Amino acid sequence: MSGETKQHVPTGASRHFVLAAGGTGGHLIPAFALATELQARGHHVALITDARGANIPGKPSGLTAHVLPAGRFGKNPLQWFRGAKLVWEGRNMALRLFESFEPAAVIGFGGYPALPALLAATSANIPTVIHEQNAVLGRVNRLFASRVDAIATSYPEVERLDAKHLDKAHLVGNPVREALLSLRDEEFPPFTEDGLLRVLVTGGSQGASVLSDVVPDGLAMLPPAIRQRLQVTQQCRSEDVDRVRERYANHDIPAELGTYFEDMDDRLADTHLFIGRAGASTIAELTAVGRPGILVPLPIATDDHQAVNTREITKAGGARMIRQAKFTPKELAKQIQAMAQNPASLANAAHGAWNCGRPHAARDLADLVESMSGIDLMDVIRVGGNNARGATQGAPAGQGTTKDRAA
């Protein structure tokens, strides 16, 4: 942890905020987006995370990362004592940081590294907000749901969120990178009867071997009229690249393979169909841009949250969900053919995905966070009954309205 000296708190509306997030992209991408928005409003922001999170690319300039100990609590009870000891140590370090930084609010994004900061904030009576990226409330967020001042959600329906906490739940969405939001107002890439069908396949930050096993053979089973127009980009694990490249070559399907693509935003912009996992960030990006997908939830995801994440977009017609146990080449080919049988059906699916997007998520979350520090809450969306923006962006209608931000 760095910085034990007293810091100057600027005058006016400027405040200090602390964001606490687990060390994965799923937790940190929305944290980075909120940090960028708060900094643009003139606030000072600090990040609490673990060693992984401190080194993840994309951290906004000027955002100081503090690495605090945070034990994990697995299935082995023998490890619980050590985990609790580390959490308590992290809590005490967070309290010392708060004495120096004087945060107006602490915002948790889930993950065990957020646990010490939230414990410290609640014990010091500092206003707290938790943000849930998934459609199932995560373990750390469940632990603090009764103690925090506000709960920001990414979906209109969130499982494991107790009904008694709905009065402090706000639907804001899951913030995504600004570069992706710039694509939202662009047209779906032209897709004609004889044009290319561009397919993007990713399996999360580490890839997914099941996609390498199934996708090449599934694409090969498509009718010739579709198969001959394919242009594939696929992210693979390093150990899978050679065999996947050989499969595509044997099927005579043009494919660009890699373990990581730096220009993923540009590739998504040109994509007609996405195939991959159903993580919160993935779905937030697909709905922000408006790209249809075939989603294969990670079967070992906690509380099966990836499958639950797909409900809104599949109901809107923006994606198809295939359980991994049923994810075969034949089933994949069947679902692709149903979505891409003509240009209109694929464009309609893209529109369905777009309707689920919440492009103002970072702004709405920042509004909520600012309201915790005495700045009036303008128009944050309440899950329980005031969903003006959500109704126009794919959330259930009929939940009432709030007054929009003054132009």
Side-chain angles (χ1 to χ4, degrees), residues 1 3 5-10 13-20 38 43-48 66 91 93-108 116-118 120-129 149 369-370 372-374:
M1 185 179 70
T5 59
K6 199 78 169 179
Q7 299 186 33
H8 172 66
V9 179
S14 182
R15 301 286 189 275
H16 285 181
F17 295 98
V18 171
L19 314 185
L38 289 173
H43 301 301
H44 294 255
V45 187
L47 172 71
I48 288 177
H66 302 266
R91 169 195 174 273
M93 293 173 69
L95 283 172
R96 294 196 295 272
L97 173 63
F98 296 166
E99 290 176 0
S100 167
F101 199 71
E102 295 183 338
V106 174
I107 303 91
L118 289 171
T122 53
S123 66
N125 293 319
I126 298 171
T128 49
V129 179
D149 297 284
V369 167
E370 282 187 334
M372 297 295 107
S373 62

Side-chain angles (χ1 to χ4, degrees), residues 59-74:
K59 184 167 68 69
S61 60
L63 178 63
T64 302
H66 302 266
V67 176
L68 270 61
R72 297 183 64 87
F73 298 88

Side-chain angles (χ1 to χ4, degrees), residues 117 148 160 175 185 242 247 269 289 314 345 394:
V148 299
R160 307 297 290 270
D185 293 330
D242 289 341
R247 282 194 182 183
V289 179
T314 55
S345 60

Side-chain angles (χ1 to χ4, degrees), residues 292-351:
I294 293 177
L295 303 172
V296 186
L298 179 68
I300 61 172
T302 306
D303 298 319
D304 199 26
H305 68 256
Q306 286 204 4
V308 185
N309 287 349
T310 69
R311 287 181 181 174
E312 184 182 30
I313 189 173
T314 55
K315 185 177 180 180
R320 305 285 180 104
M321 189 268 278
I322 306 175
R323 290 281 188 178
Q324 184 163 313
K326 298 182 178 180
F327 186 57
T328 63
K330 182 177 180 180
E331 181 63 21
L332 176 61
K334 174 184 173 182
Q335 297 299 336
I336 293 175
Q337 191 171 356
M339 294 185 76
Q341 57 186 339
N342 60 65
S345 60
L346 202 58
N348 288 339
H351 186 65

Side-chain angles (χ1 to χ4, degrees), residues 7 40 104 112 270 280 325 344 393:
Q7 299 186 33
Y112 284 107
D270 293 334
Q393 294 166 359

Side-chain angles (χ1 to χ4, degrees), residues 155-277:
Y155 295 90
E157 297 181 12
V158 180
E159 294 190 0
R160 307 297 290 270
L161 175 59
D162 198 300
K164 63 186 177 185
H165 302 317
L166 285 177
D167 61 338
K168 57 181 175 182
H170 304 259
L171 174 60
V172 300
N174 193 14
V176 299
R177 292 167 289 118
E178 192 65 33
L180 277 171
L181 289 178
S182 66
L183 303 174
R184 181 167 175 81
D185 293 330
E186 295 185 7
E187 295 291 334
F188 185 63
F191 176 58
T192 61
E193 294 285 356
D194 56 356
L196 290 174
L197 174 59
R198 298 186 181 89
V199 178
L200 175 63
V201 186
T202 72
S205 59
Q206 300 300 317
S209 288
V210 67
L211 299 175
S212 298
D213 295 338
V214 173
V215 174
D217 293 344
L219 295 177
M221 296 178 70
L222 290 169
I226 298 178
R227 187 179 70 245
Q228 293 171 3
R229 298 155 53 201
L230 289 170
Q231 187 175 74
V232 181
T233 299
Q234 182 162 346
Q235 175 210 19
C236 306
R237 294 177 184 266
S238 57
E239 61 268 28
D240 293 337
V241 170
D242 289 341
R243 69 181 179 87
V244 175
R245 181 175 289 114
E246 183 178 0
R247 282 194 182 183
Y248 278 120
N250 291 340
H251 294 316
D252 196 25
I253 296 175
E256 181 181 359
L257 309 180
T259 57
Y260 177 76
F261 295 105
E262 292 186 358
D263 58 343
M264 189 60 79
D265 294 346
D266 292 335
R267 294 176 185 274
L268 187 59
D270 293 334
T271 293
H272 295 113
L273 179 64
F274 171 88
I275 303 173
R277 292 299 193 194

Side-chain angles (χ1 to χ4, degrees), residues 41 171-173 184 312 355-365 367-368 377-382 386-397 399-406:
R41 298 184 183 196
L171 174 60
V172 300
R184 181 167 175 81
E312 184 182 30
N355 277 340
C356 295
R358 296 182 175 87
H360 303 301
R363 186 187 74 184
D364 289 344
L365 182 56
D367 284 349
L368 177 61
L377 178 63
M378 295 293 293
D379 58 348
V380 174
I381 306 161
R382 280 196 177 277
N386 301 319
N387 191 12
R389 287 201 189 109
T392 63
Q393 294 166 359
Q399 295 183 339
T401 61
T402 57
K403 187 176 181 180
D404 285 340
R405 176 192 299 267

